[in-house]
Amino acid sequence: APVALLVVGSLLCRLRATRRWWRLAAVVAACCAYGSVLSADAVEPDGAWEACDKDANSVWQLLWLIAAMACSALFFALDLPHVCACLALQLATYLAGSLALQARWWRRAGRG
């Protein structure tokens, strides 16, 4: 799904009707692609996860965030305000998703 979202974003940048909003299309595509990677963990069953499994998952989520932020900042040729908006949205997505998954695991593990 992340690749498909990036392809759709690139097609929107290419179409004459949406070309003037190419920066917005690139930001939305980059944020949605990262969000789809993060949301894949939300559908994975986590009832049998131990604390070390959740820690490993959090590290992988953080690595995906770093990769997504690096690619968004370096490869999309966006202006600085658009890069800042994209990175802020990706960071907010990471924080919301990571905290939601942590809370879900905490409840299912019977810790709270």
Side-chain angles (χ1 to χ4, degrees), residues 20-59:
R20 72 188 275 202
W21 297 292
W22 73 269
R23 289 178 182 90
L24 179 62
V27 168
V28 169
C31 292
C32 288
Y34 173 68
S36 71
V37 170
L38 186 64
S39 65
D41 290 335
V43 297
E44 184 178 333
D46 62 353
W49 280 13
E50 296 294 327
C52 62
D53 296 326
K54 181 59 191 129
D55 292 343
N57 182 269
S58 296
V59 169

Side-chain angles (χ1 to χ4, degrees), residues 3-106:
V3 173
L5 290 168
L6 291 174
V7 168
V8 168
S10 67
L11 289 175
L12 288 174
C13 292
R14 179 92 172 125
L15 294 175
R16 184 178 304 268
T18 56
R19 192 175 298 160
R20 72 188 275 202
W21 297 292
W22 73 269
R23 289 178 182 90
L24 179 62
V27 168
V28 169
C31 292
C32 288
Y34 173 68
S36 71
V37 170
L38 186 64
S39 65
D41 290 335
V43 297
E44 184 178 333
D46 62 353
W49 280 13
E50 296 294 327
C52 62
D53 296 326
K54 181 59 191 129
D55 292 343
N57 182 269
S58 296
V59 169
W60 277 108
Q61 288 174 359
L62 186 58
L63 290 173
W64 273 109
L65 173 68
I66 292 169
M69 289 177 110
C71 290
S72 299
L74 299 175
F75 298 143
F76 288 141
L78 297 169
D79 296 333
L80 187 60
H82 296 96
V83 169
C84 291
C86 185
L87 298 182
L89 285 171
Q90 287 173 335
L91 180 61
T93 303
Y94 166 76
L95 290 174
S98 182
L99 290 174
L101 288 173
Q102 181 71 26
R104 187 177 79 171
W105 172 79
W106 191 264

